[in-house]
Amino acid sequence: MDAKQIMVKMVLDRWYAQIKNTDDALNLLSDEQLQREVAPGKNRGIYLLGHLIAVHDDMLPILNFGDRLFPELQEPFIKQPDKAVPQLTSAATLRTFWEKLNSVLTEKINGMPLEEWFNRHNSVSQDDFEKEPHRNKLNIIITRTSHLSYHLGQLILLK
Amino acid sequence: MDAKQIMVKMVLDRWYAQIKNTDDALNLLSDEQLQREVAPGKNRGIYLLGHLIAVHDDMLPILNFGDRLFPELQEPFIKQPDKAVPQLTSAATLRTFWEKLNSVLTEKINGMPLEEWFNRHNSVSQDDFEKEPHRNKLNIIITRTSHLSYHLGQLILLK
């Protein structure tokens, strides 16, 4: 393995490990448990699940994988805080979205040619990328893994 | 920047960003708030802070940076769960440990030659490393950043 292969493997291993850990947490939690706040006065489990789906869905256009699958989740789960929207998508539906999205992302990620990970993502201009070549597609996986870990630490509190 | 420089920068940027976010969270929390459980029946803030220090302290021998600074924290904050040890190190003292450790880690990390990040860390044997070259020093930063993010998501709930 050359350095780029090793690097991509390290980053994707961590991404997939945290997706698996989130799957495991979701399997341990009932839809009812997801309705609860992770701590008094804080976000509910269902909001965090929707938030993770919306943020990961946004990776599709950023990584040039295509359009979002669930654009309707951007408003209630990213732009709005929890409890601002009266009726959220149900936990049962969000679970199916989470699985569908992971299956699409996995297929796209696994099909990405190695070199492409080091090219710019769609949220950075060509000019900025020339000055800041670390703002590449692989970096999107790094930052989203960190974001996922942060919220997974909260979700798990519902157990 | 060549590929290795870019990779190391991506990983270290994320590490330092999460250290900074944890510093910010700690600055917002009083010692009294750190005595509280992050959610009912869950770990207390002070335990999480001690746990992060103990885990990061362990990076010193793993990365060949030297001995742990606070070996006495391994037992109460890693081997034992919260509330198993009657008297924990005070929050005020843990804050000074956290700062000291970050200053030492930052100095060692910034002094690491680029190529060294892709060499094996001390928790993997030479034989295993030859088969699994992703088990290198940079990967320790990746996994510890993910661990830090997970617990930072919990600490922040004390605000």
Side-chain angles (χ1 to χ4, degrees):
Chain A
M1 283 207 278
D2 74 6
K4 282 185 177 175
Q5 282 175 311
I6 290 170
M7 182 65 191
V8 169
K9 177 173 171 52
M10 290 193 284
V11 172
L12 293 184
D13 277 2
R14 200 87 283 270
W15 165 258
Y16 286 127
Q18 292 302 63
I19 291 288
K20 164 82 167 62
N21 289 337
T22 308
D23 280 341
D24 291 348
L26 290 172
N27 287 335
L28 286 170
L29 297 169
S30 65
D31 290 357
E32 199 173 46
Q33 281 172 308
L34 287 176
Q35 297 299 332
R36 298 188 198 144
E37 294 171 338
V38 297
K42 305 297 177 179
N43 290 325
R44 289 172 299 167
I46 190 168
Y47 181 82
L48 292 180
L49 174 55
H51 178 68
L52 289 173
I53 296 167
V55 168
H56 292 187
D57 199 21
D58 212 30
M59 291 166 70
L60 294 172
I62 294 175
L63 293 173
N64 213 26
F65 286 161
D67 292 334
R68 293 187 193 106
L69 301 181
F70 314 110
E72 70 278 13
L73 301 189
Q74 298 289 308
E75 179 70 26
F77 291 109
I78 295 185
K79 289 183 195 145
Q80 299 290 335
D82 191 16
K83 296 152 209 163
V85 176
Q87 185 70 33
L88 290 181
T89 310
S90 75
T93 301
L94 288 176
R95 287 178 194 271
T96 66
F97 287 5
W98 171 255
E99 282 180 28
K100 171 71 183 163
L101 179 60
N102 280 329
S103 127
V104 170
L105 271 172
T106 297
E107 191 196 323
K108 300 281 190 184
I109 286 171
N110 292 348
M112 178 97 96
L114 182 68
E115 281 301 325
E116 191 59 27
W117 286 112
F118 299 91
N119 290 341
R120 82 178 166 92
H121 58 68
N122 287 339
S123 295
V124 62
S125 70
Q126 185 60 46
D127 273 6
D128 285 347
F129 182 65
E130 277 164 28
K131 280 170 269 174
E132 301 178 300
H134 62 282
R135 298 177 70 180
N136 55 41
K137 289 178 176 172
L138 194 60
N139 209 24
I140 295 295
I141 306 288
I142 292 176
T143 54
R144 294 329 181 260
T145 302
S146 173
H147 176 263
L148 172 59
S149 303
Y150 181 95
H151 290 303
L152 174 58
Q154 299 173 332
L155 260 183
I156 210 78
L157 298 172
L158 292 169
K159 268 209 302 190
Chain B
M1 283 207 280
D2 75 6
K4 282 186 176 174
Q5 282 176 312
I6 289 170
M7 291 184 255
V8 170
K9 179 174 171 51
M10 288 194 284
V11 172
L12 293 184
D13 277 2
R14 199 88 285 267
W15 166 257
Y16 285 127
Q18 292 301 64
I19 292 287
K20 165 85 167 61
N21 289 336
T22 309
D23 281 341
D24 291 348
L26 290 172
N27 287 336
L28 285 169
L29 296 169
S30 65
D31 290 357
E32 198 174 48
Q33 282 172 307
L34 287 176
Q35 297 298 333
R36 297 189 199 144
E37 295 171 336
V38 298
K42 305 297 178 181
N43 290 325
R44 289 171 298 166
I46 190 169
Y47 181 82
L48 291 180
L49 174 57
H51 178 68
L52 289 173
I53 296 166
V55 168
H56 293 186
D57 199 21
D58 212 29
M59 291 165 70
L60 294 172
I62 294 175
L63 294 174
N64 213 27
F65 287 161
D67 293 334
R68 293 186 192 107
L69 300 182
F70 315 109
E72 70 277 13
L73 300 189
Q74 299 288 309
E75 179 69 26
F77 291 110
I78 294 186
K79 290 183 192 146
Q80 299 290 334
D82 192 16
K83 296 153 210 163
V85 175
Q87 185 70 34
L88 290 180
T89 311
S90 74
T93 301
L94 288 176
R95 287 177 193 272
T96 66
F97 287 5
W98 171 256
E99 281 179 30
K100 171 70 182 163
L101 180 58
N102 281 330
S103 126
V104 170
L105 271 171
T106 298
E107 192 196 320
K108 300 283 190 183
I109 286 171
N110 292 348
M112 177 97 96
L114 181 66
E115 282 300 326
E116 192 57 29
W117 286 112
F118 299 90
N119 291 341
R120 82 178 168 92
H121 58 70
N122 287 340
S123 294
V124 63
S125 70
Q126 186 59 47
D127 273 6
D128 285 348
F129 182 65
E130 276 164 27
K131 281 169 267 173
E132 301 178 300
H134 62 282
R135 297 177 70 181
N136 55 40
K137 290 179 175 169
L138 194 59
N139 208 23
I140 296 295
I141 307 288
I142 292 177
T143 54
R144 293 330 181 259
T145 302
S146 173
H147 176 261
L148 172 58
S149 303
Y150 180 94
H151 290 303
L152 174 58
Q154 299 173 332
L155 260 183
I156 210 78
L157 297 171
L158 291 170
K159 268 208 306 190

